[in-house]
Amino acid sequence: MSGPILETRGVTKAFGGLVAVDNVDVGIEAGRVTAVIGPNGAGKTTLFNLITGVYPVSSGEIRFDGVPLDNMPTHKRAALGIARTFQNVLLFGNMTVLENVMSGQHPRSRYGFLEAALRLPKSRREEETITLNAIKYLNLVGLGLYAQRDALSLPLGQQKLLAIARALATEPKLLLLDEPGAGLNRLEKQELGDLIRRIREMGITTVLVEHDMDLVMGIAEWVIVLDSGRKIAEGTASQVQRDKRVIAAYLGEEVE
Amino acid sequence: MLSRVRGKWSYLAIAALLLFLIIIPFKWFLGQYTVILIFIGIHTMVTVGLCLLMGYTGQISLGQAAFYGLGAYFSAVLTKTHGFNPWLAMLVAALATGGFAYAIGFPIFRLRGNYLALATLGLGIIMAVLFRELDQFTGGPTGITGIPYLSIGGFTFDSPFRRYFLVWFFCLAVLLVSQNIVRSRTGRALRAVHGSESAAESVGINVAQFKVKVFVLSAVYASLAGSLYAHHITYVNPSPFGFLFSVMVVVMAVVGGLASVWGAIFGAATVRILSDEILLRFGEWDVIVYGLILVLVMVFMPRGLFVALKEAYERWRLTHRQRGAEA
Ligand SMILES: Nc1ncnc2c1ncn2[C@@H]1O[C@H](COP(=O)(O)OP(=O)(O)O)[C@@H](O)[C@H]1O
Ligand SMILES: [Mg+2]
C-alpha cells in the first residue's frame, strides 16, 4: 500500500440545522477498493459531494494526492483526477452513448472555441484521440455495440455502466461510485463486480457506496460505515459486519 | 459508412443551397426578393447565436436585440461621428459588444430559468431606453442618418444586389463556424451543460465559463448583424432594436429548430416573410401573434419547422412506398 490518496480531517457539512456529515476522518488507501456503507440518510452521498466540491465543507479539510482541495471548484477536481457517478445516474440525455463518453475526455483534451470554429488541424487530431479513447472505455464496460444509440434509450443497468465509462474517460486516479449496484439484477451485479476488479487492475482507486453486502464482501478490501453523518466503524468487510455499533445502526434496516 | 454517405448528401445539399442563393438576386430569377433576403440573412445571424445559447446550452435570452442594437449603433457612431473606416468600426463594434456581454455574463448566468429570462429581458429594455435617451451619442428617437456603405478597394456595396452577397457571405460564414463548433469538443461541452450541469462539472467542464463564452459568441454574431444592418439601410433609430425584435429572434430560433444550426435560415425566413406579408395587418397586436406562433410551434413541432417537414416527408415516402409495394 502506498498510503492514502484521499484524506478527510474533521470534515463536517451542515444543511441549516441538519448535520449531514459530522466530523468525519477517513483515509482512502491508493489502489484499493473501499466501500462506504450506512443506512439511508447516513451522509454517504453528501460525503461524495464534499469530496468532489459540489458543496463547500462547513469545517474540516480534504486532501487529495497531498493537495488541500479547499474551495477548488468541481471541474478542477475532475482535472486533478477525481471522477464520480451519481446515485440518479445523470447521463447527458441529449447525446448518444458514445458522445456521453467523449464528454468524459474533456479534461484530457485542450482545443477550444477558436480551433473548433475553424476546424484547425489540432482540433481534428484531438477529436480522433477523443473518439478512440471513448470507444476503448465503452468496450471496457461492454457497451461497444450501443455506441450510436441515444443514451437514455438504454435500460437502467446499461445506463449505470455508461455513467462509469464516462467517469473513466476523465482518466481519474480516484473513482467514486454512488450506489452503482442499486436496481441491478443478480447477473448485472456480478458483472459490475468484475468491472470494478478490472478498474482496480488499471491502478484506479475506487470508493463505492453499496448496500448489497455480498457485493461489498466480494470486492471491497476496506469498509467505512457511516450513520447519522458520523463514521461509526471501519475495517474489513467481515470485521465491520461483527461490529456491535454497525449492527445497532442497521437495526430496523434490512441488511442483505 | 452510413455517415459517410450522409456526409456526401449534406455536401450536395449545401452546394445546391449555395447555387440557389447565388442566382436568387438576378432579375431573371427572384430579383424582387433581394431586399427581404438581405434581412433574412441578417436575422439568421442573430438567430444562430440564440440557437447555440438556447438550443445547445439550454440558456434563454430575451435580450438579443441589445447586442444587435449595440452593433448597429457602434458602427453608426464610429463611422459617422468619428470617421472610422466601416470595416474597422464593425470590428470594434463586435469586440466592444462581446466585451460587454462578457462583463455582464458572469453575474447574469448566476441566474437560471425564469430569473435568467427576466434578467436578459431587463437588459434588452435598458439598452432600448439608452438608444432612445442618450441623444448626444445616438441622436435620440430620430437616430443617425447618412451612414456610409461598406466597400472593398474601389468596390462599394451601394446596391441591394451587391449587399445581398455581402450579407450572405457573413451569414454563411457564421453558420459554418457554428456548425463546426457544434460538432466539436466545445459543442459537446455546451450540450453537456444543457443535459446536466452537475454531471458536466463532474467531467471537468467549467459550466459557468462555457455559458458566458457562448453568450459572448451570440452577442458577437448579433453585433456583426447589427453592423451589416446599419451599413445596409444607412440610418439607425431605436425602433428595430426593442423588445419586439428579441421576441422575434426567439420565435425564429424555435421555428427553425432550437438545436439546429441550418434550421435558423428557415426560422428567419418563415418569420420574416410572415411578418412582412401578414402580421403587418395586426398592427400593435403583432407581438401577440408572435406569442401564438411560438406556443403552436413548441406544442406541435418541438424540434422546429425544418425537422417537422422532414419527418412529414419521410412519413409520406414510407406510405407511398408501401402502397407501391401493395400494387
Ligand atoms: N442539499 C441538501 N440540502 C439539505 N439537506 C440535504 C441535502 N443533501 C442531503 N441532505 C440531507 O442530508 C442527509 C444525508 O443525505 P445523503 O448524504 O444523501 O444520505 P445517503 O446518501 O447516505 O443516503 C439526509 O438527511 C438528507 O436529507
Ligand atoms: Mg445517497
Side-chain angles (χ1 to χ4, degrees), chain A residues 15 18 20 38-47 55 87 178-179:
Chain A
F15 295 109
L18 180 103
N40 273 327
K44 307 180 294 292
T45 298
T46 304
L47 183 62
Y55 315 121
Q87 196 170 344
D178 200 349
E179 306 211 6

Side-chain angles (χ1 to χ4, degrees), chain B residues 169-284:
Chain B
F169 171 79
F170 271 93
C171 181
L172 289 178
V174 159
L175 285 166
L176 208 65
V177 159
S178 304
Q179 173 181 287
N180 287 344
I181 288 175
V182 162
R183 295 179 180 173
S184 72
R185 169 178 184 259
T186 303
R188 273 193 303 278
L190 298 178
R191 282 151 69 206
V193 171
H194 193 180
S196 162
E197 290 188 17
S198 311
E201 278 277 331
S202 83
V203 294
I205 293 165
N206 186 342
V207 169
Q209 197 189 60
F210 271 95
K211 285 182 185 174
V212 172
K213 279 185 174 173
V214 73
F215 187 57
V216 169
L217 187 69
S218 80
V220 168
Y221 286 177
S223 173
L224 290 173
S227 294
L228 288 171
Y229 171 89
H231 291 297
H232 168 52
I233 58 169
T234 68
Y235 67 87
V236 291
N237 66 32
S239 60
F241 309 113
F243 174 59
L244 188 68
F245 184 75
S246 291
V247 172
M248 216 163 100
V249 175
V250 173
V251 179
M252 285 171 175
V254 169
V255 169
L258 276 174
S260 131
V261 166
W262 296 92
I265 300 182
F266 290 85
T270 310
V271 174
R272 183 70 208 196
I273 291 168
L274 222 63
S275 76
D276 276 16
E277 303 294 321
I278 299 164
L279 295 192
L280 274 181
R281 284 174 217 162
F282 290 90
E284 300 269 294

